[in-house]
Amino acid sequence: MSDSENGSNLPGGFRDQGEELMARLLRLAGPRAPVPEDAKERVRQAVLARWRVQVRSQKRRKTLLWVGVALSAAAVLTVGIGLSRRLPLDGASAPGPSAATLLRLDGSVEWPDAKSHSAGDALPAGTRLRTGPEGRLALRLAGGAFLRLDRETHLLLISSSLLELEQGAVYFDSGEDHVASTSLEIRTRMGIVRDRGTQFEIRVEARAMRVSVREGTASLTREDQSYEAGSGTRLSVDERGVVETRAISREGTDWDWVLAIAPAFDLEGKTLGEFLDWVSSETGWEVRFAEPSIAGEAFTVILHGSVQGMRPDQAPAAVLPTCGLSSHLERGILTVARRAPKGMP
């Protein structure tokens, strides 16, 4: 306030009259009634409670500040440790973006959310999969590749391109033309396996691991050493860390479980050539034609119907006769020929 506003510029006589008038009014009003004791106590308690709240708030802010500093330091320490070690096989992972889609489920599977699942369900990053003694799974990874889990397999889907295999077996197929949008890394306690556009199986047992390549190339890295396996090759690692390489067949009983959980081929509207390509990719068979003309017709013949529930190695016997064709399998070669007319040998 300025001096003119608070009356300091008024002549002295006017100030004296105003003070006298105020004194008279106070005398006329008389003494104020005493405040009741209970009211004073309520005020005192209210003020005391408010004071306690403020003190606690200040202490809490100081405590939270120190807790925040401690947690930040712990987080930095955790990140440092995490960078120096690989992800733990038994570590818990928070659900994240979709890493895979369930294509097929056979037998018992232990799901982390204790819910039942069926084909078409999305599986988020961080999902831990455990198949039972009779359980198998087929998945499509978000990057476009395919993955199958054999019985008694424990697998962590860290992301669509990073997996942790604790035990059991998985079969990886990088997809059509063996080119997925991203490469895959599978971590195990005996090394890290990476695909190079391929089909391969990894099987982790109590004292050994093996990487069996059906098509393309896969690499194994362990203790700063790298090994590569091409088509028809198996890398085996024992508990001593000894790595051995040997040739294997691209078809046969070793791949039987892979056929048992193969996703169904959508036959309706596909060509005969597309069907035979699928059969060859799934079984490892080489497809040959008895006559050049059959090869020329393969991609013009349109198929109808369904092979749902059939294994890839069983489907040709059901489909080819509908096209007037037959097949013969010998030493991994499927020969497709025209069926002889009825009455002819």
Side-chain angles (χ1 to χ4, degrees):
M1 231 182 246
S2 67
D3 289 342
S4 61
E5 290 174 332
N6 62 23
S8 61
N9 292 332
L10 292 174
F14 284 103
R15 287 198 301 270
D16 294 342
Q17 291 178 9
E19 292 173 358
E20 183 181 352
L21 177 60
M22 181 62 67
R24 291 178 60 190
L25 289 173
L26 290 173
R27 286 195 296 272
L28 289 173
R32 295 180 61 185
V35 178
E37 288 300 322
D38 61 337
K40 288 195 289 185
E41 181 62 20
R42 287 197 301 272
V43 172
R44 190 183 72 83
Q45 292 295 335
V47 172
L48 181 61
R50 180 60 181 170
W51 176 79
R52 288 173 175 168
V53 168
Q54 290 178 338
V55 171
R56 285 197 300 268
S57 179
Q58 291 174 354
K59 289 183 177 179
R60 187 182 302 113
R61 284 196 294 270
K62 291 180 181 179
T63 301
L64 289 176
L65 175 61
W66 283 107
V67 169
V69 172
L71 288 177
S72 298
V76 172
L77 179 61
T78 301
V79 170
I81 293 173
L83 290 175
S84 65
R85 299 176 58 191
R86 67 179 182 83
L87 295 172
L89 290 172
D90 57 351
S93 299
S98 176
T101 301
L102 181 60
L103 297 180
R104 184 175 173 184
L105 164 63
D106 285 346
S108 59
V109 176
E110 179 183 326
W111 299 98
D113 54 10
K115 296 179 181 178
S116 60
H117 288 264
S118 58
D121 287 355
L123 303 179
T127 298
R128 186 176 294 279
L129 302 171
R130 295 175 181 264
T131 58
E134 300 299 326
R136 289 188 174 121
L137 285 176
L139 312 174
R140 183 184 180 97
L141 299 174
F146 298 88
L147 192 73
R148 301 174 202 179
L149 282 68
D150 198 8
R151 297 167 177 166
E152 297 186 292
T153 295
H154 297 179
L155 179 77
L156 175 62
L157 285 171
I158 300 174
S159 71
S160 61
S161 59
L162 179 59
L163 313 176
E164 287 248 10
L165 177 61
E166 181 178 356
Q167 71 173 54
V170 296
Y171 175 78
F172 174 79
D173 184 343
S174 56
E176 187 176 357
D177 297 325
H178 305 302
V179 179
S181 63
T182 56
S183 60
L184 182 73
E185 180 177 304
I186 302 179
R187 298 178 178 180
T188 77
R189 64 178 180 273
M190 290 188 170
I192 299 174
V193 180
R194 296 181 177 90
D195 86 282
R196 297 288 186 269
T198 184
Q199 297 173 320
F200 64 84
E201 177 203 60
I202 303 178
R203 185 169 294 275
V204 176
E205 299 171 337
R207 298 181 178 180
M209 179 182 77
R210 69 189 193 198
V211 181
S212 305
V213 182
R214 197 176 201 181
E215 187 72 33
T217 305
S219 68
L220 168 65
T221 302
R222 53 174 283 110
E223 299 179 351
D224 299 326
Q225 294 291 322
S226 293
Y227 309 86
E228 284 203 349
S231 177
T233 304
R234 172 175 293 161
L235 293 174
S236 300
V237 186
D238 64 19
E239 58 185 347
R240 300 168 297 167
V242 177
V243 179
E244 296 181 343
T245 303
R246 72 178 184 89
I248 59 170
S249 174
R250 296 175 61 249
E251 50 92 27
T253 56
D254 282 351
W255 308 100
D256 192 67
W257 78 268
V258 175
L259 301 180
I261 191 61
F265 180 75
D266 185 9
L267 187 71
E268 182 63 33
K270 298 295 192 302
T271 66
L272 175 62
E274 290 173 316
F275 168 73
L276 291 174
D277 282 347
W278 170 73
V279 170
S280 176
S281 177
E282 288 289 346
T283 60
W285 298 339
E286 178 186 348
V287 175
R288 294 182 182 177
F289 298 96
E291 302 173 21
S293 59
I294 302 176
E297 297 169 1
F299 287 91
T300 61
V301 176
I302 305 299
L303 303 176
H304 300 282
S306 173
V307 289
Q308 185 75 31
M310 291 186 192
R311 289 168 46 122
D313 53 348
Q314 299 170 340
V319 173
L320 293 178
T322 66
C323 305
L325 302 171
S326 62
S327 62
H328 174 71
L329 178 66
E330 185 175 356
R331 296 181 181 180
I333 298 175
L334 183 72
T335 302
V336 178
R338 297 190 188 278
R339 294 184 69 186
K342 290 182 178 181
M344 294 184 60

